[in-house]
Amino acid sequence: MRTTTIAAALTAAAPLTSAINPHALGAKMGFALGTKNPDSSCKSTNDYEKDFDAIAGKTGSKIVRGYSASDCNFAQNILPAAQNKGFQVVLGIWPDTTESFNADNSAVQTYANQFPDSVYAVTVGSETLYRGNFTGAELNDKIKQVKSGLPSSIKIGTADSWNKYADGTADDVISSGDATILLINAFAYWQDKTIEEATGSSNVYLDDIAQAIDRVQSHSNGADIEIWNGETGWPTDGGSSYGVAKASTAWAAEYYAKSFCGILAWGINAFYFEAFDEAWKPDSTGDNGEAEDEKHWGAMDASRNQKPNFNLTCNYLDW
């Protein structure tokens, strides 16, 4: 890790004088949250309330993010639960097809205006630049379209891979003045790193985030853009390994404690991927043509229980 780059790029945090929750340091801890129960049925408002109880009770976090506002009636079902439990939600719009964009935008416009205090932000796109589905200018046009119908209190932007910020692909979004929040995704796991490379003095995850933040800061034209680490995480026992990056609950717990909690200690807001295992998910096909398990990325299991020896609170005395 380039310490000087990190120190210059990341927001200054308060002195680390006690083991306290992340909000006291000015950084918000959040979790990615799926739309389905373990049996693949769509979650109800009551299911989301149970999710929120587990998240708040075990981590102190009060914010989650989703990916598609219309999927399983996500916005419709989660926002009443958020209002009841004092949570906020980042709603997602999937712009990659006309049908998904229209469905998600309709859900966002309907329910964000009904529950404005429970909507923290709206993201248009999730790694859509990484997949090459839009140019930065094309994506920014979608952001402007969604923004025009939202209350001014709700932040709007996108979520994409750290390298699409760092290499300039997202410059038109960064410099436009339309985006007020940007989520930067970074996974040491998907870069085929050992746990030492993902957590130690040459921490590739923190360095990737720093490179992306450098680019945002230097191309924002002075605009006030809120920056989050939009996704990071590590698969636990039962998941698929990726090269030397081993799926392991012990490694995931170490990554959470040293890198996820570490970026919070630096004062950067961050979402962990993800809150709970998603037992319903089918295997995907990896780059090597082999089946890849996607069921075991949760900080908690599918029954909302804490995993063995996986501490979900951050001890900032370690930083």
Side-chain angles (χ1 to χ4, degrees):
M1 176 177 64
R2 297 174 301 178
T3 306
T4 55
T5 301
I6 289 285
L10 302 188
T11 305
L16 308 182
T17 56
S18 61
I20 53 181
N21 81 55
H23 309 289
L25 293 174
K28 296 184 180 72
M29 172 197 286
F31 290 85
L33 192 59
T35 61
K36 294 182 179 180
N37 292 306
D39 64 1
S40 80
S41 62
C42 291
K43 288 182 181 177
S44 66
T45 295
N46 181 252
D47 292 321
Y48 286 120
E49 289 181 343
K50 292 176 181 177
D51 286 348
F52 291 156
D53 285 342
I55 292 168
K58 293 179 175 67
T59 74
S61 173
K62 302 282 278 188
I63 185 169
V64 297
R65 66 166 298 205
Y67 296 86
S68 168
S70 65
D71 179 45
C72 275
N73 296 319
F74 181 73
Q76 178 181 349
N77 291 337
I78 198 171
L79 291 178
Q83 179 175 268
N84 293 342
K85 295 293 184 176
F87 266 69
Q88 288 187 298
V89 181
V90 176
L91 296 175
I93 290 177
W94 199 261
D96 299 49
T97 69
T98 300
E99 293 75 17
S100 63
F101 176 79
N102 289 341
D104 285 343
N105 190 33
S106 177
V108 164
Q109 302 298 341
T110 298
Y111 296 104
N113 281 283
Q114 288 184 28
F115 299 91
D117 293 339
S118 299
V119 178
Y120 188 84
V122 174
T123 54
V124 182
S126 177
E127 299 190 348
T128 191
L129 296 178
Y130 177 79
R131 293 190 299 275
N133 292 339
F134 294 97
T135 66
E138 290 168 342
L139 179 58
N140 196 70
D141 286 343
K142 295 287 188 182
I143 291 171
K144 286 195 292 186
Q145 182 178 342
V146 176
K147 185 176 184 178
S148 65
L150 292 177
S152 60
S153 60
I154 296 177
K155 304 173 184 70
I156 188 164
T158 193
D160 223 295
S161 177
W162 70 273
N163 56 320
K164 296 296 104 179
Y165 292 103
D167 70 8
T169 303
D171 280 358
D172 284 329
V173 176
I174 296 167
S175 63
S176 69
D178 296 305
T180 54
I181 187 170
L182 294 174
L183 276 59
I184 301 167
N185 299 349
F187 289 82
Y189 168 85
W190 287 119
Q191 293 192 60
D192 187 12
K193 300 301 180 183
T194 65
I195 194 62
E196 290 79 12
E197 293 170 309
T199 62
S201 60
S202 60
N203 191 314
V204 65
Y205 157 66
L206 295 181
D207 189 63
D208 291 346
I209 293 290
Q211 290 182 56
I213 290 176
D214 281 344
R215 186 76 182 193
V216 172
Q217 291 179 334
S218 64
H219 286 74
S220 63
N221 298 322
D224 184 15
I225 300 176
E226 184 171 306
I227 296 173
W228 283 69
N229 173 203
E231 283 183 350
T232 196
W234 200 282
T236 57
D237 292 349
S240 296
S241 297
Y242 187 77
V244 299
K246 183 174 66 173
S248 159
T249 301
W251 280 25
E254 183 174 354
Y255 184 78
Y256 185 101
K258 293 182 178 178
S259 290
F260 180 64
C261 291
I263 206 163
L264 293 168
W266 277 104
I268 295 298
N269 304 322
F271 286 104
Y272 191 80
F273 184 86
E274 55 189 328
F276 310 108
D277 286 345
E278 296 192 80
W280 66 271
K281 279 188 172 180
D283 290 345
S284 62
T285 302
D287 293 339
N288 58 5
E290 297 180 1
E292 298 284 344
D293 176 273
E294 295 191 355
K295 301 177 178 68
H296 297 88
W297 282 82
M300 290 171 266
D301 67 22
S303 298
R304 306 185 183 93
N305 297 313
Q306 196 162 336
K307 294 184 178 181
N309 301 312
F310 198 133
N311 185 8
L312 296 175
T313 58
C314 291
N315 184 349
Y316 293 110
L317 292 178
D318 293 337
W319 282 85

mmCIF file of all heavy atoms in Angstrom, residues 210-250:
data_model
loop_
_atom_site.group_PDB
_atom_site.id
_atom_site.type_symbol
_atom_site.label_atom_id
_atom_site.label_comp_id
_atom_site.label_asym_id
_atom_site.label_seq_id
_atom_site.Cartn_x
_atom_site.Cartn_y
_atom_site.Cartn_z
ATOM 1 N N ALA A 210 -7.710 4.069 -3.002
ATOM 2 C CA ALA A 210 -6.995 5.342 -3.020
ATOM 3 C C ALA A 210 -6.791 5.848 -4.448
ATOM 4 O O ALA A 210 -6.930 7.039 -4.723
ATOM 5 C CB ALA A 210 -5.652 5.203 -2.312
ATOM 6 N N GLN A 211 -6.462 4.941 -5.376
ATOM 7 C CA GLN A 211 -6.286 5.347 -6.768
ATOM 8 C C GLN A 211 -7.585 5.915 -7.343
ATOM 9 O O GLN A 211 -7.574 6.931 -8.058
ATOM 10 C CB GLN A 211 -5.826 4.159 -7.605
ATOM 11 C CG GLN A 211 -4.422 3.688 -7.326
ATOM 12 C CD GLN A 211 -4.031 2.533 -8.235
ATOM 13 O OE1 GLN A 211 -4.089 2.654 -9.467
ATOM 14 N NE2 GLN A 211 -3.659 1.418 -7.645
ATOM 15 N N ALA A 212 -8.695 5.261 -7.036
ATOM 16 C CA ALA A 212 -9.985 5.736 -7.532
ATOM 17 C C ALA A 212 -10.342 7.090 -6.924
ATOM 18 O O ALA A 212 -10.823 7.997 -7.622
ATOM 19 C CB ALA A 212 -11.073 4.707 -7.223
ATOM 20 N N ILE A 213 -10.106 7.253 -5.623
ATOM 21 C CA ILE A 213 -10.416 8.518 -4.969
ATOM 22 C C ILE A 213 -9.554 9.641 -5.532
ATOM 23 O O ILE A 213 -10.034 10.768 -5.756
ATOM 24 C CB ILE A 213 -10.237 8.393 -3.447
ATOM 25 C CG1 ILE A 213 -11.328 7.496 -2.862
ATOM 26 C CG2 ILE A 213 -10.286 9.768 -2.774
ATOM 27 C CD1 ILE A 213 -11.185 7.223 -1.384
ATOM 28 N N ASP A 214 -8.291 9.364 -5.774
ATOM 29 C CA ASP A 214 -7.412 10.366 -6.391
ATOM 30 C C ASP A 214 -8.020 10.900 -7.689
ATOM 31 O O ASP A 214 -8.025 12.101 -7.954
ATOM 32 C CB ASP A 214 -6.042 9.761 -6.684
ATOM 33 C CG ASP A 214 -5.152 9.680 -5.457
ATOM 34 O OD1 ASP A 214 -5.445 10.334 -4.453
ATOM 35 O OD2 ASP A 214 -4.151 8.935 -5.516
ATOM 36 N N ARG A 215 -8.520 9.980 -8.517
ATOM 37 C CA ARG A 215 -9.088 10.379 -9.807
ATOM 38 C C ARG A 215 -10.360 11.201 -9.618
ATOM 39 O O ARG A 215 -10.580 12.214 -10.304
ATOM 40 C CB ARG A 215 -9.382 9.139 -10.644
ATOM 41 C CG ARG A 215 -9.840 9.436 -12.066
ATOM 42 C CD ARG A 215 -8.690 9.847 -12.949
ATOM 43 N NE ARG A 215 -9.116 10.179 -14.304
ATOM 44 C CZ ARG A 215 -8.276 10.325 -15.330
ATOM 45 N NH1 ARG A 215 -6.968 10.165 -15.144
ATOM 46 N NH2 ARG A 215 -8.726 10.644 -16.526
ATOM 47 N N VAL A 216 -11.223 10.768 -8.705
ATOM 48 C CA VAL A 216 -12.463 11.507 -8.452
ATOM 49 C C VAL A 216 -12.140 12.914 -7.975
ATOM 50 O O VAL A 216 -12.705 13.910 -8.462
ATOM 51 C CB VAL A 216 -13.342 10.767 -7.428
ATOM 52 C CG1 VAL A 216 -14.532 11.640 -7.016
ATOM 53 C CG2 VAL A 216 -13.837 9.436 -7.997
ATOM 54 N N GLN A 217 -11.230 13.030 -7.020
ATOM 55 C CA GLN A 217 -10.907 14.332 -6.475
ATOM 56 C C GLN A 217 -10.284 15.256 -7.508
ATOM 57 O O GLN A 217 -10.532 16.461 -7.506
ATOM 58 C CB GLN A 217 -9.989 14.170 -5.270
ATOM 59 C CG GLN A 217 -10.680 13.528 -4.063
ATOM 60 C CD GLN A 217 -9.760 13.359 -2.884
ATOM 61 O OE1 GLN A 217 -8.547 13.261 -3.029
ATOM 62 N NE2 GLN A 217 -10.337 13.304 -1.689
ATOM 63 N N SER A 218 -9.489 14.701 -8.410
ATOM 64 C CA SER A 218 -8.792 15.549 -9.378
ATOM 65 C C SER A 218 -9.645 15.904 -10.589
ATOM 66 O O SER A 218 -9.266 16.788 -11.368
ATOM 67 C CB SER A 218 -7.505 14.859 -9.846
ATOM 68 O OG SER A 218 -7.791 13.657 -10.548
ATOM 69 N N HIS A 219 -10.810 15.250 -10.767
ATOM 70 C CA HIS A 219 -11.645 15.504 -11.934
ATOM 71 C C HIS A 219 -13.064 15.954 -11.571
ATOM 72 O O HIS A 219 -13.929 16.017 -12.447
ATOM 73 C CB HIS A 219 -11.712 14.254 -12.817
ATOM 74 C CG HIS A 219 -10.457 14.001 -13.579
ATOM 75 N ND1 HIS A 219 -9.316 13.517 -12.964
ATOM 76 C CD2 HIS A 219 -10.132 14.192 -14.890
ATOM 77 C CE1 HIS A 219 -8.349 13.405 -13.867
ATOM 78 N NE2 HIS A 219 -8.819 13.809 -15.032
ATOM 79 N N SER A 220 -13.299 16.295 -10.321
ATOM 80 C CA SER A 220 -14.659 16.654 -9.890
ATOM 81 C C SER A 220 -14.977 18.131 -10.070
ATOM 82 O O SER A 220 -16.107 18.557 -9.790
ATOM 83 C CB SER A 220 -14.849 16.272 -8.422
ATOM 84 O OG SER A 220 -13.949 17.014 -7.602
ATOM 85 N N ASN A 221 -13.997 18.911 -10.516
ATOM 86 C CA ASN A 221 -14.203 20.357 -10.715
ATOM 87 C C ASN A 221 -14.725 21.050 -9.469
ATOM 88 O O ASN A 221 -15.519 21.999 -9.544
ATOM 89 C CB ASN A 221 -15.165 20.608 -11.891
ATOM 90 C CG ASN A 221 -14.620 20.094 -13.208
ATOM 91 O OD1 ASN A 221 -13.424 20.192 -13.472
ATOM 92 N ND2 ASN A 221 -15.491 19.519 -14.032
ATOM 93 N N GLY A 222 -14.293 20.554 -8.328
ATOM 94 C CA GLY A 222 -14.677 21.177 -7.063
ATOM 95 C C GLY A 222 -16.051 20.789 -6.564
ATOM 96 O O GLY A 222 -16.502 21.308 -5.529
ATOM 97 N N ALA A 223 -16.742 19.896 -7.275
ATOM 98 C CA ALA A 223 -18.081 19.481 -6.847
ATOM 99 C C ALA A 223 -18.001 18.687 -5.549
ATOM 100 O O ALA A 223 -17.017 18.010 -5.273
ATOM 101 C CB ALA A 223 -18.748 18.637 -7.931
ATOM 102 N N ASP A 224 -19.046 18.776 -4.764
ATOM 103 C CA ASP A 224 -19.121 18.055 -3.485
ATOM 104 C C ASP A 224 -19.704 16.672 -3.751
ATOM 105 O O ASP A 224 -20.922 16.503 -3.800
ATOM 106 C CB ASP A 224 -19.987 18.840 -2.499
ATOM 107 C CG ASP A 224 -20.025 18.196 -1.118
ATOM 108 O OD1 ASP A 224 -19.172 17.330 -0.848
ATOM 109 O OD2 ASP A 224 -20.911 18.556 -0.323
ATOM 110 N N ILE A 225 -18.835 15.696 -3.941
ATOM 111 C CA ILE A 225 -19.259 14.325 -4.235
ATOM 112 C C ILE A 225 -18.934 13.442 -3.037
ATOM 113 O O ILE A 225 -17.785 13.368 -2.616
ATOM 114 C CB ILE A 225 -18.561 13.777 -5.496
ATOM 115 C CG1 ILE A 225 -18.895 14.635 -6.720
ATOM 116 C CG2 ILE A 225 -18.970 12.323 -5.742
ATOM 117 C CD1 ILE A 225 -18.162 14.220 -7.974
ATOM 118 N N GLU A 226 -19.939 12.771 -2.511
ATOM 119 C CA GLU A 226 -19.731 11.846 -1.402
ATOM 120 C C GLU A 226 -19.204 10.515 -1.951
ATOM 121 O O GLU A 226 -19.748 9.980 -2.912
ATOM 122 C CB GLU A 226 -21.041 11.628 -0.656
ATOM 123 C CG GLU A 226 -20.911 10.758 0.579
ATOM 124 C CD GLU A 226 -22.197 10.751 1.396
ATOM 125 O OE1 GLU A 226 -22.687 11.845 1.761
ATOM 126 O OE2 GLU A 226 -22.730 9.647 1.641
ATOM 127 N N ILE A 227 -18.155 10.004 -1.325
ATOM 128 C CA ILE A 227 -17.504 8.781 -1.795
ATOM 129 C C ILE A 227 -17.718 7.645 -0.804
ATOM 130 O O ILE A 227 -17.545 7.819 0.399
ATOM 131 C CB ILE A 227 -15.997 9.017 -2.011
ATOM 132 C CG1 ILE A 227 -15.772 10.038 -3.131
ATOM 133 C CG2 ILE A 227 -15.286 7.707 -2.326
ATOM 134 C CD1 ILE A 227 -14.330 10.457 -3.289
ATOM 135 N N TRP A 228 -18.083 6.494 -1.337
ATOM 136 C CA TRP A 228 -18.217 5.263 -0.563
ATOM 137 C C TRP A 228 -17.414 4.155 -1.240
ATOM 138 O O TRP A 228 -17.274 4.145 -2.467
ATOM 139 C CB TRP A 228 -19.671 4.798 -0.523
ATOM 140 C CG TRP A 228 -20.580 5.527 0.397
ATOM 141 C CD1 TRP A 228 -21.030 6.804 0.281
ATOM 142 C CD2 TRP A 228 -21.217 4.996 1.569
ATOM 143 N NE1 TRP A 228 -21.894 7.113 1.298
ATOM 144 C CE2 TRP A 228 -22.026 6.009 2.107
ATOM 145 C CE3 TRP A 228 -21.168 3.754 2.208
ATOM 146 C CZ2 TRP A 228 -22.791 5.832 3.260
ATOM 147 C CZ3 TRP A 228 -21.926 3.567 3.352
ATOM 148 C CH2 TRP A 228 -22.726 4.598 3.873
ATOM 149 N N ASN A 229 -16.918 3.248 -0.431
ATOM 150 C CA ASN A 229 -16.546 1.938 -0.967
ATOM 151 C C ASN A 229 -17.861 1.177 -1.139
ATOM 152 O O ASN A 229 -18.515 0.827 -0.166
ATOM 153 C CB ASN A 229 -15.614 1.219 -0.007
ATOM 154 C CG ASN A 229 -15.309 -0.215 -0.392
ATOM 155 O OD1 ASN A 229 -14.946 -1.021 0.447
ATOM 156 N ND2 ASN A 229 -15.447 -0.557 -1.659
ATOM 157 N N GLY A 230 -18.251 0.936 -2.382
ATOM 158 C CA GLY A 230 -19.587 0.397 -2.649
ATOM 159 C C GLY A 230 -19.733 -1.078 -2.384
ATOM 160 O O GLY A 230 -20.831 -1.552 -2.055
ATOM 161 N N GLU A 231 -18.657 -1.820 -2.552
ATOM 162 C CA GLU A 231 -18.649 -3.253 -2.270
ATOM 163 C C GLU A 231 -17.235 -3.681 -1.936
ATOM 164 O O GLU A 231 -16.279 -3.260 -2.590
ATOM 165 C CB GLU A 231 -19.076 -4.082 -3.487
ATOM 166 C CG GLU A 231 -20.534 -4.132 -3.813
ATOM 167 C CD GLU A 231 -20.797 -5.052 -5.011
ATOM 168 O OE1 GLU A 231 -19.842 -5.481 -5.693
ATOM 169 O OE2 GLU A 231 -21.971 -5.331 -5.258
ATOM 170 N N THR A 232 -17.119 -4.522 -0.951
ATOM 171 C CA THR A 232 -15.936 -5.334 -0.742
ATOM 172 C C THR A 232 -16.356 -6.520 0.109
ATOM 173 O O THR A 232 -17.383 -6.467 0.788
ATOM 174 C CB THR A 232 -14.777 -4.560 -0.096
ATOM 175 O OG1 THR A 232 -13.565 -5.294 -0.274
ATOM 176 C CG2 THR A 232 -15.019 -4.312 1.400
ATOM 177 N N GLY A 233 -15.594 -7.590 0.072
ATOM 178 C CA GLY A 233 -15.955 -8.761 0.863
ATOM 179 C C GLY A 233 -15.061 -9.939 0.539
ATOM 180 O O GLY A 233 -14.102 -9.826 -0.238
ATOM 181 N N TRP A 234 -15.401 -11.069 1.143
ATOM 182 C CA TRP A 234 -14.599 -12.292 0.966
ATOM 183 C C TRP A 234 -15.508 -13.492 1.232
ATOM 184 O O TRP A 234 -16.231 -13.509 2.224
ATOM 185 C CB TRP A 234 -13.433 -12.303 1.953
ATOM 186 C CG TRP A 234 -12.312 -13.219 1.558
ATOM 187 C CD1 TRP A 234 -12.271 -14.574 1.696
ATOM 188 C CD2 TRP A 234 -11.081 -12.835 0.950
ATOM 189 N NE1 TRP A 234 -11.087 -15.069 1.215
ATOM 190 C CE2 TRP A 234 -10.326 -14.014 0.751
ATOM 191 C CE3 TRP A 234 -10.520 -11.617 0.568
ATOM 192 C CZ2 TRP A 234 -9.062 -14.010 0.181
ATOM 193 C CZ3 TRP A 234 -9.268 -11.605 0.006
ATOM 194 C CH2 TRP A 234 -8.542 -12.787 -0.185
ATOM 195 N N PRO A 235 -15.507 -14.508 0.366
ATOM 196 C CA PRO A 235 -16.376 -15.668 0.594
ATOM 197 C C PRO A 235 -15.889 -16.526 1.765
ATOM 198 O O PRO A 235 -14.690 -16.643 2.014
ATOM 199 C CB PRO A 235 -16.284 -16.444 -0.722
ATOM 200 C CG PRO A 235 -14.952 -16.061 -1.288
ATOM 201 C CD PRO A 235 -14.723 -14.636 -0.880
ATOM 202 N N THR A 236 -16.838 -17.122 2.456
ATOM 203 C CA THR A 236 -16.543 -17.929 3.638
ATOM 204 C C THR A 236 -16.545 -19.415 3.281
ATOM 205 O O THR A 236 -16.644 -19.798 2.115
ATOM 206 C CB THR A 236 -17.559 -17.619 4.740
ATOM 207 O OG1 THR A 236 -18.884 -17.870 4.246
ATOM 208 C CG2 THR A 236 -17.473 -16.158 5.183
ATOM 209 N N ASP A 237 -16.410 -20.255 4.289
ATOM 210 C CA ASP A 237 -16.385 -21.704 4.078
ATOM 211 C C ASP A 237 -17.575 -22.145 3.225
ATOM 212 O O ASP A 237 -18.710 -21.716 3.461
ATOM 213 C CB ASP A 237 -16.448 -22.431 5.420
ATOM 214 C CG ASP A 237 -15.196 -22.242 6.264
ATOM 215 O OD1 ASP A 237 -14.196 -21.723 5.738
ATOM 216 O OD2 ASP A 237 -15.242 -22.605 7.462
ATOM 217 N N GLY A 238 -17.312 -23.012 2.250
ATOM 218 C CA GLY A 238 -18.348 -23.482 1.344
ATOM 219 C C GLY A 238 -18.383 -22.740 0.034
ATOM 220 O O GLY A 238 -18.996 -23.208 -0.930
ATOM 221 N N GLY A 239 -17.728 -21.574 -0.022
ATOM 222 C CA GLY A 239 -17.676 -20.808 -1.252
ATOM 223 C C GLY A 239 -16.594 -21.316 -2.180
ATOM 224 O O GLY A 239 -15.921 -22.312 -1.905
ATOM 225 N N SER A 240 -16.420 -20.626 -3.296
ATOM 226 C CA SER A 240 -15.412 -21.004 -4.287
ATOM 227 C C SER A 240 -14.162 -20.160 -4.113
ATOM 228 O O SER A 240 -14.247 -18.946 -3.915
ATOM 229 C CB SER A 240 -15.955 -20.807 -5.706
ATOM 230 O OG SER A 240 -17.045 -21.657 -5.953
ATOM 231 N N SER A 241 -13.006 -20.792 -4.205
ATOM 232 C CA SER A 241 -11.749 -20.060 -4.184
ATOM 233 C C SER A 241 -11.477 -19.486 -5.568
ATOM 234 O O SER A 241 -12.004 -19.959 -6.583
ATOM 235 C CB SER A 241 -10.599 -20.976 -3.757
ATOM 236 O OG SER A 241 -10.804 -21.443 -2.430
ATOM 237 N N TYR A 242 -10.619 -18.453 -5.599
ATOM 238 C CA TYR A 242 -10.258 -17.812 -6.860
ATOM 239 C C TYR A 242 -8.741 -17.712 -6.904
ATOM 240 O O TYR A 242 -8.147 -16.812 -6.326
ATOM 241 C CB TYR A 242 -10.900 -16.431 -6.953
ATOM 242 C CG TYR A 242 -10.727 -15.746 -8.287
ATOM 243 C CD1 TYR A 242 -11.496 -16.133 -9.387
ATOM 244 C CD2 TYR A 242 -9.810 -14.716 -8.447
ATOM 245 C CE1 TYR A 242 -11.340 -15.505 -10.618
ATOM 246 C CE2 TYR A 242 -9.649 -14.082 -9.673
ATOM 247 C CZ TYR A 242 -10.420 -14.473 -10.756
ATOM 248 O OH TYR A 242 -10.266 -13.847 -11.966
ATOM 249 N N GLY A 243 -8.115 -18.692 -7.538
ATOM 250 C CA GLY A 243 -6.663 -18.763 -7.509
ATOM 251 C C GLY A 243 -6.185 -18.970 -6.083
ATOM 252 O O GLY A 243 -6.646 -19.869 -5.383
ATOM 253 N N VAL A 244 -5.276 -18.101 -5.638
ATOM 254 C CA VAL A 244 -4.753 -18.212 -4.274
ATOM 255 C C VAL A 244 -5.678 -17.583 -3.250
ATOM 256 O O VAL A 244 -5.448 -17.696 -2.044
ATOM 257 C CB VAL A 244 -3.348 -17.590 -4.167
ATOM 258 C CG1 VAL A 244 -2.374 -18.314 -5.078
ATOM 259 C CG2 VAL A 244 -3.372 -16.082 -4.461
ATOM 260 N N ALA A 245 -6.721 -16.906 -3.706
ATOM 261 C CA ALA A 245 -7.697 -16.305 -2.795
ATOM 262 C C ALA A 245 -8.665 -17.398 -2.338
ATOM 263 O O ALA A 245 -9.577 -17.794 -3.060
ATOM 264 C CB ALA A 245 -8.441 -15.167 -3.477
ATOM 265 N N LYS A 246 -8.445 -17.890 -1.145
ATOM 266 C CA LYS A 246 -9.172 -19.054 -0.648
ATOM 267 C C LYS A 246 -10.488 -18.646 0.022
ATOM 268 O O LYS A 246 -10.516 -17.727 0.844
ATOM 269 C CB LYS A 246 -8.294 -19.805 0.362
ATOM 270 C CG LYS A 246 -8.914 -21.090 0.912
ATOM 271 C CD LYS A 246 -7.929 -21.837 1.776
ATOM 272 C CE LYS A 246 -7.566 -21.083 3.047
ATOM 273 N NZ LYS A 246 -6.741 -21.888 3.964
ATOM 274 N N ALA A 247 -11.566 -19.328 -0.362
ATOM 275 C CA ALA A 247 -12.834 -19.143 0.341
ATOM 276 C C ALA A 247 -12.694 -19.732 1.733
ATOM 277 O O ALA A 247 -12.478 -20.932 1.895
ATOM 278 C CB ALA A 247 -13.970 -19.812 -0.423
ATOM 279 N N SER A 248 -12.813 -18.900 2.751
ATOM 280 C CA SER A 248 -12.523 -19.339 4.110
ATOM 281 C C SER A 248 -13.157 -18.368 5.090
ATOM 282 O O SER A 248 -12.980 -17.154 4.967
ATOM 283 C CB SER A 248 -11.003 -19.377 4.322
ATOM 284 O OG SER A 248 -10.659 -19.319 5.682
ATOM 285 N N THR A 249 -13.883 -18.904 6.062
ATOM 286 C CA THR A 249 -14.457 -18.035 7.085
ATOM 287 C C THR A 249 -13.366 -17.335 7.885
ATOM 288 O O THR A 249 -13.492 -16.156 8.218
ATOM 289 C CB THR A 249 -15.374 -18.849 8.019
ATOM 290 O OG1 THR A 249 -16.420 -19.456 7.242
ATOM 291 C CG2 THR A 249 -16.007 -17.950 9.084
ATOM 292 N N ALA A 250 -12.287 -18.033 8.146
ATOM 293 C CA ALA A 250 -11.183 -17.418 8.886
ATOM 294 C C ALA A 250 -10.569 -16.270 8.095
ATOM 295 O O ALA A 250 -10.269 -15.201 8.649
ATOM 296 C CB ALA A 250 -10.119 -18.463 9.212
#
